Amino acid sequence: LARHILKVNYLYDLPFGKDRAIGSNWNRALDAVAGGWGMSFGVTAHSGFPITVQDSSNPSLQATRSTVWPDLIGDPVPSNQSLTQWLNRDAFRSAALGTFGNAGVGIARAPKYWNVDVSLSKRIATVARQYFMFRVEAFNLLNHPNFGPPDRNIQSQTFGTITSTAGDARIVQLALKYLF
């Protein structure tokens, strides 16, 4: 798991309009425009998940249930870490034939992740206690790219390179529902 996780969610009904602190005596037209608004947001952030480096050449010569680890012979994190060099290829080598590698589980970390989601909603009264709820929702509001883990197989040509993202680019959607 990630070492550090932060998740904050907040929901707030703006205090304007009928049955609220400000504007409870507004006429129907003013309340229809300025009343009944609410907003919410969510922030998620965490440090990177553990990465276990693997060696698909199977130097142990054992039929294992998982991929074999290589030998760790240096620092797995390069000094100039980037998307094209997230793991240090020179820090690993295949274990000697008939042996298991010493690299172990979770010796490096994938990139950190953070995201902001926001929603703005409008409650539109109809009859009695019934109403429409109109919402504008933005997921990944800041359109921040979050990158996936690197290729972790030392036999791969793309070992240590990040080639994917975790999550989507910004998505904005509109929603209308009728509550009765």
Side-chain angles (χ1 to χ4, degrees):
L1 292 172
R3 286 185 184 153
H4 308 99
I5 299 173
L6 171 69
K7 193 160 187 98
V8 176
N9 294 301
Y10 190 75
L11 174 64
Y12 182 68
D13 282 332
L14 297 173
F16 308 108
K18 193 171 193 146
D19 300 328
R20 308 249 174 123
I22 301 170
S24 60
N25 59 351
W26 285 352
N27 64 45
R28 192 167 175 87
L30 181 58
D31 184 56
V33 173
W37 288 94
M39 66 171 290
S40 63
F41 74 88
V43 175
T44 302
H46 61 74
S47 56
F49 290 112
I51 298 170
T52 300
V53 177
Q54 302 173 343
D55 184 354
S56 63
S57 69
N58 194 17
S60 69
L61 305 175
Q62 303 273 334
T64 62
R65 293 183 203 184
S66 66
T67 307
V68 176
W69 303 333
D71 278 337
L72 179 63
I73 57 172
D75 187 356
V77 180
S79 58
N80 56 342
Q81 192 175 47
S82 67
L83 295 179
T84 58
Q85 189 180 11
W86 196 262
L87 295 173
N88 182 6
R89 180 179 285 280
D90 296 331
F92 301 95
R93 70 170 178 224
S94 289
L97 281 178
T99 66
F100 293 99
N102 66 3
V105 175
I107 60 170
R109 292 272 168 183
K112 63 186 176 189
Y113 175 96
W114 65 272
N115 182 54
V116 177
D117 299 331
V118 175
S119 173
L120 183 63
S121 63
K122 169 75 169 119
R123 184 175 172 162
I124 305 164
T126 56
V127 292
R129 295 182 153 273
Q130 300 176 30
Y131 61 92
F132 282 102
M133 177 66 72
F134 175 72
R135 297 175 62 93
V136 176
E137 300 168 326
F139 303 98
N140 191 4
L141 176 71
L142 304 176
N143 206 24
H144 175 263
N146 289 296
F147 296 102
D151 183 344
R152 55 198 177 128
N153 180 359
I154 67 166
Q155 299 303 322
S156 171
Q157 293 298 317
T158 59
F159 172 76
T161 303
I162 295 175
T163 59
S164 66
T165 56
D168 295 320
R170 180 186 307 122
I171 296 173
V172 177
Q173 69 183 22
L174 306 175
L176 180 66
K177 65 181 176 179
Y178 186 68
L179 292 98
F180 55 94

